Amino acid sequence: MISRRGFFRFVRALGISGLGVAAYGFGIENFRWPKIAEYNVRPKLWPAGLSLKVAAIADIHACDPWMTASRVRSIVETTNDVGADLIVLLGDYSAGHKFVYEAVHSDEWSTALGGLKSPLGVHAILGNHDWWDDKSVQGARAGTPYGRARSNAWEFRSTRTTPFA
């Protein structure tokens, strides 16, 4: 049987652990520079001597103060410097949660992402947060989230960039 004092020690330790995890998640992890990881993948039927460098960007969650438009632009510059043959954007461009000071409008992050360049193009898909964040599409239960982004960077910045479809 656990004593009352033991129970309160457990609750206090649990609370301190939770604060530590929250401090790491909000105070440290969000301000770290993105990690560039290199993987050498060789599919069985891949032609010998053919190499393909793919850069993947995922889960931007654009919001102030953690992922501002200027930070997205710096990630775009870093990605372009990698010299990838193909760039894929794997969704979750908007914050999609309430723990932000200010949302970064889709016009800002899409313009920043419009600066991505690669010989085989830039291809994008939407993530779950992108659907959650566009209330007009949710209300209509139809349409394309960020349809307004189609008219700016996605189509006019780069002819190799695929707009959200």
Side-chain angles (χ1 to χ4, degrees), residues 103-138:
V104 175
H105 195 273
S106 61
D107 287 341
E108 295 180 62
W109 55 256
S110 64
T111 300
L113 291 174
L116 289 167
K117 301 200 180 341
S118 69
L120 297 177
V122 177
H123 304 273
I125 60 170
L126 294 174
N128 58 328
H129 288 257
D130 303 316
W131 290 97
W132 295 341
D133 197 51
D134 198 325
K135 303 299 182 205
S136 62
V137 171
Q138 281 185 8

Side-chain angles (χ1 to χ4, degrees), residues 43-62:
K44 288 182 181 179
L45 300 177
W46 194 260
L50 179 63
S51 65
L52 179 69
K53 186 184 265 191
V54 179
I57 300 175
D59 298 298
I60 291 173
H61 296 286

Side-chain angles (χ1 to χ4, degrees), residues 55-92:
I57 300 175
D59 298 298
I60 291 173
H61 296 286
C63 64
D64 188 28
W66 299 296
M67 188 60 73
T68 61
S70 63
R71 186 164 183 210
V72 174
R73 280 190 294 278
S74 66
I75 291 171
V76 165
E77 290 172 14
T78 301
T79 304
N80 285 338
D81 290 343
V82 167
D85 300 312
L86 172 72
I87 299 174
V88 292
L89 301 172
L90 303 178
D92 286 351

